[in-house]
């Protein structure tokens, strides 16, 4: 037992000496490189990278570190949206607001939360804000909260592209007679959540009767677009009643509102079979979505903010927040009913998967470009500073310059 006791005593002395040494070297332990190095010896492989990813607000928003595998092949033009928006010129952002996608929240961000030389004038008790360009009495934003429902309540792509230019020209005459640049934007949402949210909204009395549904210069007749209810509204309707109406515009609403309806004879459903009609509408919606200056997703608030800021070179004052607890999320839906909702919104599901893929690919490309630009700026600064060093100092500098965390993260985030 004597040798074992002596060995134990030696280990205790070594431990005490080590503690004293660390305290001497690292009086401020939180920033001590020696402690960080010691900790790295005992940290499981990949843990440091995982910790770095968790600190990333854009990845943390999604709740999981699942590798994103793209399903669709998009062109460089699709992924790199080059938008030369000039708020001082004649450019106009047009917000296509689809019901129950979080568009009201996003619309308020546009008029209240953007850092502008001339902020929008939003007064208490007024539904609309005045969003003028610097030095001009001209608006740069066409949306519910700036120009009202000028082209009809929740106007769709078919209505807006036909109405907005003439509406703007009638209100504001261009001095140089040049054509305006219109940049269309929208927000999409998971189809099931959006559908349930619309049902709950209708159940509380919403009707959207003021919607015009103008296509090819006219609104649909009652026979082309019958009403789902006979009274003033559809208050108190059950989810089953909501699903049973064959004319319910809630079904595949996002696809219909983003497509060119004139391609299928507008609301005349006798022009072609239902399957062929929706196939044409889906392809049209995808095409229009790709050509839009920007679109965001309700489920990715921080990424939506990031891409909008990168696209339009405008900065929001406060960050977007992800709200997962909505009225739709609180609805308990039996599996059989869920399956029915999926069937009713089959085309919206295809559109959303397509949009989500494009959105996440655009985000990754933008982040990679941002890091590349930051790396180039660092390299330029290093070259500038390097010229001031001696030959020996430059050799030491070059050794330290070879690897950076940003370069590593650049590879990690190519999901």
């Amino acid at each position: 037992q004597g040798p074992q006791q002596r060995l134990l005593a030696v280990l205790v002395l070594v431990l005490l000496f080590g503690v004293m040494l660390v305290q001497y070297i690292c009086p401020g332990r939180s920033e001590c490189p020696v402690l960080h190095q010691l900790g790295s010896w005992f940290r499981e492989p990949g843990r440091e990278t995982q910790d770095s990813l968790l600190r990333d607000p854009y990845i943390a928003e999604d709740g999981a570190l699942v590798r994103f595998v793209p399903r669709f092949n998009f062109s460089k033009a699709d992924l790199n949206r080059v938008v030369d928006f000039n708020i001082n010129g004649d450019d106009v952002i047009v917000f296509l607001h689809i019901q129950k996608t979080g568009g009201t929240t996003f619309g308020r961000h546009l008029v209240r939360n953007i850092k502008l030389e001339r902020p929008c004038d939003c007064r208490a008790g007024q539904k609309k804000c005045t969003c003028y360009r610097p030095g001009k009495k001209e608006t740069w934003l066409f949306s519910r909260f700036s120009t009202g429902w000028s082209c009809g309540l929740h106007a769709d792509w078919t209505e807006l592209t036909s109405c907005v230019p003439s509406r703007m020209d009638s209100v504001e005459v261009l001095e140089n007679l040049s054509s305006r640049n219109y940049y269309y934007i929208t927000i999409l949402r998971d189809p099931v959540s959006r559908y349930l949210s619309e049902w709950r909204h209708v159940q509380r009395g919403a009707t959207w009767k003021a919607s015009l549904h103008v296509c090819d210069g006219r609104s649909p007749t009652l026979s082309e677009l019958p009403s789902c209810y006979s009274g003033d509204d559809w208050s108190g309707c059950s989810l089953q009643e909501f699903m049973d109406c064959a004319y319910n515009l809630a079904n595949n609403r996002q696809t219909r509102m983003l497509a060119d309806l004139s391609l299928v004879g507008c609301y005349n459903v006798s022009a072609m079979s239902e399957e062929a009609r929706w196939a044409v509408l889906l392809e049209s919606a995808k095409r229009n979505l790709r050509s839009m200056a920007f679109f965001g997703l309700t489920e990715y608030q921080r990424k939506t903010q990031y891409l909008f800021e990168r696209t339009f070179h405008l900065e929001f004052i406060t960050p977007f927040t992800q709200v997962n607890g909505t009225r739709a999320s609180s609805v308990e839906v039996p599996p059989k009913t869920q399956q029915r909702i999926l069937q009713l919104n089959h085309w919206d599901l295809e559109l959303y998967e397509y949009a989500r893929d494009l959105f996440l690919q655009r985000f990754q490309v933008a982040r990679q470009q941002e890091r590349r630009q930051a790396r180039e700026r660092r390299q330029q600064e290093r070259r500038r500073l390097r010229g001031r060093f001696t030959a020996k100092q430059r050799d030491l500098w070059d050794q330290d310059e070879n690897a950076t965390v940003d370069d590593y993260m650049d590879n990690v985030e190519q999901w």
Side-chain angles (χ1 to χ4, degrees), residues 183-201:
Y183 297 102
Y184 287 82
I185 65 174
T186 194
I187 300 291
L188 282 80
R189 184 181 181 184
D190 169 75
V192 175
S193 297
R194 197 215 65 79
Y195 186 83
L196 288 171
S197 182
E198 180 166 342
W199 162 60
R200 293 294 298 269
H201 198 56

Side-chain angles (χ1 to χ4, degrees), residues 138-179:
E138 299 175 358
T139 188
W140 56 270
L141 176 65
F142 193 100
S143 78
R144 164 189 175 182
F145 290 111
S146 57
T147 55
W149 301 111
S150 302
C151 291
L153 181 62
H154 287 287
D156 54 36
W157 172 271
T158 307
E159 293 176 284
L160 285 178
T161 53
S162 174
C163 165
V164 170
S166 59
R167 185 74 178 178
M168 288 294 298
D169 288 343
S170 66
V171 176
E172 299 174 1
V173 180
L174 293 177
E175 295 179 359
N176 56 10
L177 299 179
S178 62
S179 60

